[in-house]
């Protein structure tokens, strides 16, 4: 079997945006206060929709709205925060590669309507009309905006990352996968530094409707801030949200040599794909269990060493049930005494960004030795006899923490983090 | 890394395109003159349509087939061919620790729904309300799962049981290059023993033609070989699926798997496409590979898309290197964007297995008579992303 370096990797800078606000300080203050960023959607009409709430990021202006534009703009902001904190490189010259978790980019309805208008068809509009109108170079901007690599390419250009930027998707585990790719590249010795970014600004009518048609979303629209209820008996789905996170990863040697402040370390990564179903977990929970165990083993630890779990915790009946089963299987009798709180109760599910956003919040939990709560926890689920840090933040001793991310398509990734290198 | 990189073999290939499926079919067809793609359905655009495949052979459950759109079926099918070729199909122990990196775009849209909505949206009183109503009623609930980029990997896990790691790279041609690069780097460094890497592309879609035509990249009839589209460049997109099984020599030897070829190096790059940038990028990647190349027994399999100016720049750069026969396989299989680089590494393995290069497609390609021991694969994206690989005969 392969034997590779399992060295911990330092985090020397990070930046975050959620519906709670811009920047780590603002987000942490509100998380600890148990504040929700979920609100009624104002960006587009919600007439006729079952779900009318979300954690949209409305304070980053993008006019006219385009999901890829918002994703890119948020990525810019969090990368600036992360690079400034790490103090690495020079402006426009980041000394390492970019790993970007990004919602799949696609042509959006406003683009399509614009081309259709240019086609000027009198009767029914067809794709042949759109193609005719698109011919001749008037819509080159749509190509540059809507190719999959567009966000990554623009970030690489702006921040001067090195080599080919990797844009990736592992659905709702994407942010964690981006960090994992960075950790692996540093462990291979390919680079001393990596920029891991995750961004998702994809809340438009079609995106919301897609999840709604899969019955994945909470429909508890009123009041919006109470809709996300992870681990509660009355949980009824996740709440879509937007956000972005960026982390500067560095080999410990490199960070120490330049005297950088080490915010925390990624100690281990675990991953296990699930072959059971496109949207549901294997009923025996084996892939989730194996994923968590692999991450802990990769960190050179045992489950007894883990003091806090930042769960995927979406608030869907299925996820929370399977994740709890997995946690109980891995931690055994200790499970009920390992606190586990879901950031998504406050920020919603930031989808492609979630793994990175929540890794940053896990690092802040380690830094502050204070656990953000799971809010909206009013009706305990007797099948989930765990300490979800209900409704109120509290202090705790946290040496090692694990963050889980699970996604459609059987994607499971767990990251183990610590305050200081062992 | 203090230790030397582990030798990495290609122990399985799975390919399907307009030429048909499998190594033998592709070898035979590449030694005949290129067919002119039938393009009535997408006129005036030239599209290489997938040869008929029997899905049941690789995706036995009809329920699974129904859950996928064509791009996922093509990919899941090609992945199955690769696992068969590697002797890994059904080996639960091996598949449970097999890693996977897929290069994917986005899935098909429902073109009828789009067109109908666009037609009626023009007269809608309240556009937002109208769009909501129609999307809620017209979109098939499971279509989303057929569109999500990472659901090709998801389907491969479900149908074939590959459950080590699962990552999906997006980003057109560069997604394919980086998928192979990262899979190789992980094996070389001991982070993985065996990886399934590849992707698929369904070219028979007007929604994807729309994206490329907006950028001025879609080839309109008449068809011409990739290097003979001067003055009116463009991609003749092609439906294809291509997967490789990459494996450490140790892992392959332990299970008595034979190497089809050795993958020695993969380089990738990203430059802003200003004049001279592609040339500079190719020169830089070549300088990393050239020291390992023995003159006289090497050829290039180019992933040139046909789009300009990238294709002309690459062609000009290639012609500066003496004694280097070049084949642009896009002339035969079309341009499949994400999996193109993987397809060409697979075709390189096929040629190395025959110890010779296939015949020239046109007058712009030189014959090669001598033995073939190394192939340099290029992948210059139509708009961004550059890649280069060295594939060698395995001893």
């Amino acid at each position: 079997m392969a034997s590779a370096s399992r060295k911990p990797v330092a985090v020397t800078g990070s930046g975050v945006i959620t519906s709670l606000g811009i920047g780590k300080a603002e987000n942490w203050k509100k998380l600890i206060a148990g504040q929700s960023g979920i609100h009624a959607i104002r960006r587009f009409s919600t007439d006729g929709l079952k779900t009318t709430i979300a954690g949209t990021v409305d304070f980053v202006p993008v006019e006219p709205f385009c999901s890829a534009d918002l994703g890119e703009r948020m990525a810019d902001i969090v990368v600036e925060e992360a690079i400034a904190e790490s103090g690495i490189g020079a402006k426009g010259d980041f000394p390492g590669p970019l790993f970007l978790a990004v919602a799949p980019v696609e042509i959006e309805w406003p683009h399509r309507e614009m081309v259709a208008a240019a086609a000027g068809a009198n009767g029914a509009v067809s794709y042949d009309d759109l193609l005719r109108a698109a011919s001749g170079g008037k819509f080159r901007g749509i190509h540059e905006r809507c190719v999959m690599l567009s966000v990554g390419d623009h970030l690489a250009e702006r921040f001067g990352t090195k080599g080919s930027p990797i844009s990736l998707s592992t659905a709702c585990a994407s942010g964690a996968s981006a960090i994992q790719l960075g950790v692996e590249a540093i462990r291979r010795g390919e680079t001393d530094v990596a920029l891991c970014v995750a961004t998702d600004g994809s809340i438009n009518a079609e995106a919301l409707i897609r999840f709604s048609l899969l019955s994945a979303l909470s429909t508890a629209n009123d009041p919006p801030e109470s809709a996300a209820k992870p681990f509660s008996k009355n949980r009824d789905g996740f709440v879509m949200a937007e956000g972005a996170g960026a982390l500067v990863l560095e080999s410990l040697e490199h960070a120490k040599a330049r005297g950088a402040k080490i915010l925390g370390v990624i100690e281990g990564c675990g991953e296990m794909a699930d072959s059971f179903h496109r949207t549901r977990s294997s009923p025996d929970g084996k892939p989730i269990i194996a994923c968590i165990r692999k991450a802990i083993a990769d960190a050179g630890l045992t489950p007894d060493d883990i003091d806090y779990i930042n769960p995927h915790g979406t608030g869907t009946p299925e996820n929370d049930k399977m994740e709890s089963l997995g946690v109980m299987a891995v931690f055994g009798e200790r499970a009920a005494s390992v606190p586990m709180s879901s950031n998504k109760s406050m920020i919603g599910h930031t989808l492609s960004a979630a793994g990175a956003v929540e890794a940053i919040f896990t690092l802040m939990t380690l830094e502050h030795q204070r656990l953000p709560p799971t809010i909206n926890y009013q009706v305990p689920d007797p099948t989930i006899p765990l300490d979800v840090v209900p409704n109120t933040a509290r202090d705790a001793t946290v040496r090692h923490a694990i963050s889980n991310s699970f996604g459609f398509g059987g994607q499971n990734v767990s990251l183990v983090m610590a305050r200081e290198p062992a | 890394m203090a230790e030397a990189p582990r030798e990495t073999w290609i122990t399985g290939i799975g390919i399907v395109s307009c030429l048909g499926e499998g190594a033998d079919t592709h070898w035979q067809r590449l030694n005949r003159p290129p067919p002119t793609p039938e393009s009535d359905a997408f006129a005036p655009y030239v599209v290489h349509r997938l040869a008929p495949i029997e899905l049941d052979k690789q995706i036995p459950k009809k329920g699974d087939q129904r859950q996928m759109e064509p791009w996922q079926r093509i990919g899941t099918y090609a992945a199955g061919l690769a696992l068969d070729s590697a002797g890994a199909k059904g080996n639960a122990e091996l598949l449970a620790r097999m890693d996977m990196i897929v290069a994917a775009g986005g899935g098909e849209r429902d073109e009828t729904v789009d067109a109908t909505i666009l037609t009626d949206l023009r007269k809608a009183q309240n556009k937002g309300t109208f769009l909501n109503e129609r999307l809620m009623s017209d979109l098939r609930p499971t279509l989303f799962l057929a569109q999500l980029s990472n659901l090709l990997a998801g389907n491969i896990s479900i149908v074939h049981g590959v459950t080590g790691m699962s990552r999906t790279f997006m980003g057109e041609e560069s997604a394919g290059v980086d998928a192979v690069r990262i899979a190789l780097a992980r094996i070389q460094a001991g982070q993985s023993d065996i990886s399934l890497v590849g992707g698929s592309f369904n070219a028979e879609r007007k929604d994807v033609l729309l994206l490329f035509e907006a950028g001025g990249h879609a080839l309109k009839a008449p068809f011409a070989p990739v290097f003979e589209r001067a003055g009116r460049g463009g991609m003749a997109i092609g439906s294809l699926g291509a997967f490789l099984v990459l494996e450490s020599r140790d892992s392959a030897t332990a299970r008595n798997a034979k190497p089809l070829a050795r993958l020695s190096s993969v380089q990738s790059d990203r430059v802003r496409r200003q004049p001279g940038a592609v040339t500079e990028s190719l020169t830089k990647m070549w300088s990393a590979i050239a020291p390992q190349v023995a003159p006289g027994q090497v050829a290039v399999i180019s992933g040139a898309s046909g789009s300009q100016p990238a294709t002309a720049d690459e062609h000009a750069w290639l012609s500066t290197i003496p004694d280097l026969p070049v084949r642009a396989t896009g002339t035969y299989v079309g341009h499949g964007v994400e999996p193109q680089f993987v397809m060409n590494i697979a075709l390189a393995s096929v040629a190395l297995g025959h110890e010779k290069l296939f015949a020239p497609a046109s007058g712009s390609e030189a014959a090669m008579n001598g033995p073939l021991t190394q192939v340099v694969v290029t992948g210059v994206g139509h708009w961004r992303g550059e890649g280069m690989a060295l594939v060698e005969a395995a001893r």
Side-chain angles (χ1 to χ4, degrees), chain B residues 5-6 33 49 82 87 108 111 137 151 164 187 190 223 266 275 277 280-281 311 317 321-322 345 357 363 367:
Chain B
R6 300 198 303 171
R49 307 184 74 171
E108 290 87 347
E111 291 176 14
S137 66
L151 258 290
I187 293 173
F223 171 78
V266 177
E280 199 179 314
S281 174
T311 294
W317 179 82
I321 301 173
I345 290 177
L357 187 61

Side-chain angles (χ1 to χ4, degrees), chain A residues 1-5 44-50 99-100 102-107 109 112-113 115-116 120-128 130-132 134-144 146-150 152-154 156-157 163-172 177 180-181 183-185 187-190 205-207 209-214 271-279 294 407-411, chain B residues 1 3 6 43 45 63-65 67-68 96-97 100 104-106 109-119 121-122 126-129 131-133 135-136 139-142 144-145 147-151 153-155 157-159 161-174 178 181-182 185-186 189-193 206-207 209-217 220 268-272 338 382-386:
Chain A
M1 178 56 200
S3 67
S5 160
F44 54 89
S45 165
T46 55
D47 288 354
L49 303 184
K50 290 178 190 157
F99 299 99
L100 174 70
V102 59
V105 182
E106 57 188 351
I107 292 179
W109 279 102
R112 225 171 269 124
E113 277 187 80
V115 180
N122 292 321
V125 181
S126 69
Y127 261 89
D128 289 328
L130 301 183
L131 282 164
R132 188 166 34 76
S135 193
K138 267 186 308 214
F139 294 105
R140 279 188 191 276
I142 291 183
H143 172 267
E144 173 161 355
C146 300
V147 287
M148 287 280 187
L149 52 65
S150 90
D153 183 74
H154 292 176
E157 182 74 30
S164 175
I166 289 184
S167 304
L168 69 118
S169 176
T170 54
C172 301
S177 298
Q180 201 183 7
L181 280 158
V183 168
E184 287 180 356
R187 283 178 170 179
R188 285 196 295 270
E190 241 169 59
E206 183 164 353
I209 288 167
R210 283 164 167 168
F211 280 114
S212 187
L213 289 172
L214 291 174
E271 179 171 5
M272 173 64 91
D274 192 328
S275 62
F276 178 69
H277 188 268
R278 288 162 189 81
T279 58
K294 278 185 172 185
F408 283 175
Q411 311 273 182
Chain B
M1 281 295 298
E3 291 169 44
R6 300 198 303 171
Y45 302 98
D64 284 333
Q65 293 179 20
Q67 290 281 324
M68 302 182 210
R97 58 186 176 84
M100 168 163 54
R109 293 193 63 84
D110 188 325
E111 291 176 14
T112 310
V113 168
D114 282 356
T116 314
I117 291 178
L118 283 172
T119 299
L121 201 54
R122 291 178 303 192
N126 183 327
K127 289 192 175 198
T129 306
L131 189 62
N132 290 349
E133 280 170 6
L135 290 173
M136 284 291 282
L139 287 179
R140 280 180 290 121
T142 54
F144 183 29
L145 299 176
Q147 292 172 326
L148 275 173
S149 300
N150 72 305
L151 258 290
N155 278 296
S157 292
I158 290 169
V159 173
V162 177
T163 58
M165 92 182 193
S166 166
R167 294 181 198 161
T168 296
F169 290 178
M170 305 177 297
E172 289 71 37
E173 293 89 347
S174 62
D178 284 322
R181 178 173 66 87
I182 297 290
R186 295 181 83 252
Q191 292 173 334
S192 172
D193 289 322
K206 288 179 181 170
D207 58 345
L209 273 171
L210 177 61
L211 175 67
F212 293 131
E213 179 63 349
H217 297 286
K220 291 178 183 164
S268 72
D269 198 14
R270 178 260 169 212
V271 291
R272 197 192 319 153
E338 288 88 0
H382 72 282
W383 180 72
R384 280 289 186 278
E386 299 77 32

